[in-house]
RNA sequence: GCGCCUUUAGCUCAGUCGGUAGAGCAUCGGACUUUUAAUCCGUUGGUCCCGGGUUCGAGUCCCGGAGGGCGCACCA
């Protein structure tokens, strides 16, 4: 911390003390009777002209001062609340000498409550003519450059409060995220789904392959994992007869961090009894179209250099059909481990340890780059889908799809395996894999097998990475730009 | 984990060939009763990310380390 910053803070602190001495002590203020917000005021008076003089009613607005333009015996300022910006105009002859002297002790960043009426300034801007003001909080720390704002990405993440306070686009992204998730909940509730909450702390983190975070419960002297999926508990709810359930919850995976991965992220998981994956696909399409409409009425979503159309119907293509179309690769080649390995070599990709891994690599290389518009890729190979049901007439293929857009996987859904014997065998196979040293394979959850033995109806399930969906809908390149407080390494102060 | 880039005033950024630190904004003082990146005059402000090395001399060159960004690998 440099001397100069301390000087800046000291100057603001001395302004605060002078304001307190003049009867403007923000610490003595417990409430402010806000009766309007900036954008609403501007909208209400859009047709207001200079000839209209001073408008009605008397407004009381509160927010943060982000610009102060003193001009002798007057002051223009910008007050920002959660809806936007409102210009203020303060005059000495109106406020009186004492109050006007006090407002000269205001600093950029201070929170202010103001009383006043609207007028149109000489330059045509709707402006609040302030008759009284109340200091609600003092900003002791100086705010970043008013023109360039806070640009340093590291500081934006570490001090997100500053980022939010002065970068309107950033605040808009998080407001939009909130509206998207709220709209998603309404959509699901309207479709007769129950929102449920399942444990975050588990003895066995299952339902996916990922390294969990470990923690400990003192009261039970018990080692616990943070969940890596909500899948198994949600299916227990289906066994219990809730029929349609979802959870929008935080998931924790102790893995890498990059522009598309954060150690904690939010996932929607949703299960519907009596649906197959094909009903789920229609529902998925309707949900995403609905959310896109919230962002852009025409469902045309700009992302980077492109514009993505979320108008239904979305493109649908078979898994093998996609390989055939984009790489002239045959189903037979893909389904044989040797054929897949040969394809890897032809594309200059390092050999894969397993057939499934090879197929994943090949898909990323050959097909994914072509999936720009929202596209359902259907009918996955069984080897890629250990928890999905087979197609009745095609034992190598399962009832599963993934939804892609701009090369990102947005959703993964399948008809759920509900055969307890099959589930038990797959857990036993996982025990083998663990014994061979694959630490990402979860320990078996035998109670889940018991739950299936009580009977689970045919059910479709889907997982949607909320952060990535929000990235796409809000046109953000990094997952950290849709997570308020992304994990950062500590830095010495 | 690997590679590339990056770190200079509160903020945004310059800094040439290695010669001892600069601008704009902000701060502080002054002028200004319709400004809006207000303007004008003046003023203050530095652990050049950290630690070594080379050199008469390092923000600059070399080595090591830290934070951050991007890409690859892994994953959703």
């Amino acid at each position: 911390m440099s001397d100069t910053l301390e000087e800046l803070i000291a100057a603001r602190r001395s302004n605060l003390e002078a304001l307190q001495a003049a009867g403007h002590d923000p610490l003595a203020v417990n409430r402010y009777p806000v009766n309007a917000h900036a954008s609403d005021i501007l909208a209400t008076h859009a047709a207001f002209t200079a000839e209209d003089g001073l408008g009605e009613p008397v407004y009381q607005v509160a927010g943060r001062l982000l610009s102060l333009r003193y001009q002798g015996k007057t002051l223009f300022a910008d007050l920002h609340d959660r809806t936007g910006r409102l210009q203020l105009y303060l005059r000495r002859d109106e406020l009186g000498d004492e109050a006007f002297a006090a407002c000269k002790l205001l600093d950029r960043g201070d929170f202010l409550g103001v009383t006043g009426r609207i007028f149109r300034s000489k330059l045509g801007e709707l402006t609040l003519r302030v008759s009284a003001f109340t200091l609600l909080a003092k900003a002791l720390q100086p705010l970043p450059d008013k023109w360039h704002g806070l640009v340093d990405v590291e500081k934006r993440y570490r001090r997100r409060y500053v980022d939010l306070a002065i970068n309107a686009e950033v605040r808009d992204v998080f407001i939009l995220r909130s509206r998207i998730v709220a709209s998603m909940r309404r959509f699901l509730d309207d479709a007769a789904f129950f929102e449920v909450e399942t444990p975050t702390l588990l003895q066995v983190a299952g339902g996916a392959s990922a390294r969990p975070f470990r923690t400990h419960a003192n009261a039970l002297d018990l080692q616990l994992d943070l969940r890596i999926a909500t899948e198994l508990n949600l299916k227990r709810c289906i066994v219990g007869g809730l029929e349609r359930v979802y959870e929008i919850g935080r998931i924790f995976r102790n893995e890498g961090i990059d522009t598309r991965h954060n150690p904690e992220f939010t996932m929607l998981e949703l299960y519907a009894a009596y649906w197959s994956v094909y009903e789920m696909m229609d529902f998925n399409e309707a949900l995403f179209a609905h959310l896109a409409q919230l962002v852009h009425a025409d469902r045309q979503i700009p992302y980077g250099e492109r514009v993505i159309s979320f108008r239904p119907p979305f493109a649908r293509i078979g898994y093998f059909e996609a390989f055939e179309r984009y790489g002239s690769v045959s189903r037979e080649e893909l389904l044989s481990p040797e054929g897949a390995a040969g394809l890897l070599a032809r594309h200059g990709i390092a050999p894969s340890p397993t057939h499934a891994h090879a197929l994943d690599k090949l898909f990323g290389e050959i097909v994914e780059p072509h999936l720009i518009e929202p596209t359902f890729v259907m009918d996955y190979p069984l080897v890629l889908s250990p928890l999905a049901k087979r197609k009745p007439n095609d034992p190598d293929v399962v009832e599963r799809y993934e939804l892609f857009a701009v090369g990102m996987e947005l959703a993964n859904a399948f008809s759920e395996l509900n055969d307890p014997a099959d589930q038990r065998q797959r857990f036993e196979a996982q025990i083998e894999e663990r014994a061979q040293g694959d630490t990402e394979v979860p320990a078996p959850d035998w109670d889940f097998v018991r739950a299936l033995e009580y009977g689970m109806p045919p059910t479709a399930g889907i997982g949607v990475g909320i952060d990535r969906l929000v990235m796409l809908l809000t046109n953000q390149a990094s997952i950290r730009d849709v997570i308020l407080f992304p994990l950062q390494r500590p830095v010495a102060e």
Side-chain angles (χ1 to χ4, degrees):
Chain A
M1 185 113 349
S2 72
D3 288 344
T4 60
L5 175 57
E6 281 164 13
E7 283 167 21
L8 293 171
I9 291 172
R12 285 159 176 265
R13 186 168 279 125
S14 95
N15 283 347
L16 171 61
E17 286 160 4
L19 280 160
Q20 287 170 322
H24 289 87
D25 183 1
L27 302 177
V29 180
N30 291 332
R31 64 178 63 80
Y32 191 79
V34 173
N35 67 8
H37 287 91
S39 293
D40 303 330
I41 293 172
L42 298 184
T44 302
H45 297 273
F48 200 84
T49 67
E51 289 69 37
D52 292 328
L54 269 181
E56 295 292 342
V58 175
Y59 286 118
Q60 302 220 94
V61 193
R64 197 191 278 274
L65 284 173
L66 286 187
S67 172
L68 294 159
R69 300 180 292 280
Y70 292 100
Q71 201 189 337
K73 301 179 180 65
T74 69
L75 165 62
F76 281 92
D78 293 337
L79 190 76
H80 289 243
D81 68 15
R82 62 181 240 174
T83 69
R85 183 187 79 101
L86 179 67
Q87 179 166 263
L88 309 179
Y89 179 51
L90 298 86
R91 295 169 59 97
R92 186 168 84 166
D93 57 9
E94 183 160 4
L95 293 172
D97 290 354
E98 223 173 279
F100 194 74
C103 83
K104 288 199 166 179
L105 298 166
L106 296 173
D107 289 293
R108 190 167 118 84
D110 290 353
F111 275 92
L112 208 63
V114 296
T115 304
R117 295 197 289 165
I118 212 77
F119 75 105
R120 201 166 283 276
S121 77
K122 189 180 274 183
L123 293 183
E125 179 166 351
L126 271 177
T127 303
L128 194 78
R129 182 155 164 157
V130 174
S131 56
F133 67 88
T134 305
L135 182 66
L136 300 175
K138 191 73 186 165
L140 296 175
Q141 292 272 357
L143 266 63
D145 190 290
K146 65 187 167 195
W147 184 241
H148 302 95
L150 185 62
V151 172
D152 180 345
V153 177
E154 179 178 357
K155 199 156 280 183
R156 284 186 42 226
Y157 296 152
R158 290 191 193 278
R159 302 190 191 178
R160 182 70 93 180
Y161 39 90
V162 179
D163 194 26
L164 287 168
I166 67 169
N167 290 329
E169 346 57 84
V170 172
R171 188 176 0 191
D172 289 345
V173 167
F174 289 104
I175 291 173
L176 193 48
R177 176 175 180 142
S178 174
R179 292 177 54 221
I180 288 167
V181 173
S183 177
M184 177 179 277
R185 278 207 167 84
R186 273 196 301 276
F187 191 92
L188 301 180
D189 295 345
D190 288 348
F193 283 85
F194 296 123
E195 179 171 16
V196 298
E197 294 173 279
T198 66
T200 302
L201 299 173
L202 300 169
Q203 284 188 65
V204 181
S209 277
R211 285 171 62 188
F213 284 91
R214 285 267 141 80
T215 187
H216 184 262
N218 291 338
L220 302 178
D221 188 20
L222 189 62
Q223 179 177 282
L224 294 169
D225 292 346
L226 271 58
R227 67 185 176 190
I228 57 174
T230 49
E231 172 146 359
L232 300 184
N233 274 327
L234 291 179
K235 283 195 261 195
R236 283 183 171 95
C237 295
I238 298 295
V239 169
L242 294 180
E243 294 190 359
R244 295 188 183 188
V245 296
Y246 73 92
E247 180 162 7
I248 295 174
R250 200 66 62 82
I251 303 296
F252 306 87
R253 296 189 182 174
N254 211 338
E255 292 173 347
I257 301 176
D258 60 33
T259 49
R260 289 179 181 187
H261 299 83
N262 195 62
E264 51 180 307
F265 63 101
T266 304
M267 189 147 77
L268 163 70
E269 280 197 48
L270 174 145
Y271 294 83
Y274 315 122
W275 283 8
S276 76
V277 76
Y278 301 105
E279 283 74 40
M280 186 62 82
M281 187 153 46
D282 292 338
F283 185 75
N284 188 171
E285 185 175 83
L287 171 63
F288 279 32
H290 175 76
L291 297 177
Q293 191 171 27
L294 178 77
V295 180
H296 287 283
D298 61 1
R299 297 174 179 144
Q300 305 288 108
I301 305 294
Y303 192 76
E305 303 296 305
R306 308 175 195 276
V307 175
I308 309 301
S309 174
F310 274 85
R311 287 181 186 153
F314 301 166
R316 300 183 181 199
I317 188 169
Y319 181 88
F320 296 112
E321 185 190 353
F323 269 103
E324 193 74 56
R325 180 181 302 174
Y326 298 117
S328 301
V329 174
S330 74
R331 167 180 166 139
E332 288 64 35
E333 223 172 344
L334 291 166
L335 282 182
S336 94
E338 299 74 26
L343 282 167
L344 278 184
R346 278 215 324 259
H347 284 86
I349 307 171
S352 288
T354 64
H355 186 200
H357 188 265
L359 290 180
D360 247 13
K361 292 278 130 196
L362 288 168
F363 190 85
E365 178 73 17
I366 295 170
V367 179
E368 232 177 59
H370 298 279
L371 305 179
I372 302 305
E373 294 288 318
T375 304
F376 289 111
V377 177
M378 311 184 299
D379 301 338
Y380 271 64
L382 176 76
V383 289
L384 287 179
S385 318
L387 288 173
K389 263 186 166 174
R390 292 170 208 260
K391 283 190 88 167
N393 54 351
D394 190 348
D396 290 330
V397 169
V398 293
E399 290 196 347
R400 174 187 177 191
Y401 73 80
E402 291 195 309
L403 175 62
F404 290 86
V406 284
M408 255 195 303
E409 183 198 325
L410 291 180
N412 177 22
F414 41 83
S415 301
E416 300 293 335
L417 179 69
N418 62 346
D419 174 353
D422 196 348
Q423 183 69 68
R424 182 185 300 278
Q425 278 171 19
R426 296 187 197 202
F427 278 158
E428 277 163 358
Q430 288 185 334
I431 293 174
E432 282 301 304
E433 291 172 38
R434 278 171 67 82
Q436 285 159 24
D438 189 341
T439 54
E440 295 207 349
V441 178
D445 184 339
W446 297 119
D447 176 72
F448 179 67
V449 176
R450 177 162 50 210
L452 293 184
E453 285 171 343
Y454 278 91
M456 185 172 86
T459 298
I462 183 175
V464 177
I466 300 291
D467 311 271
R468 288 185 180 176
L469 178 61
V470 172
M471 279 171 69
L472 201 151
L473 292 177
T474 60
N475 195 9
Q476 299 299 309
S478 169
I479 197 168
R480 274 170 246 128
D481 291 320
V482 300
I483 291 175
L484 276 168
F485 305 104
L487 187 62
Q488 299 272 288
R489 277 198 164 82
V491 71
E493 291 276 339

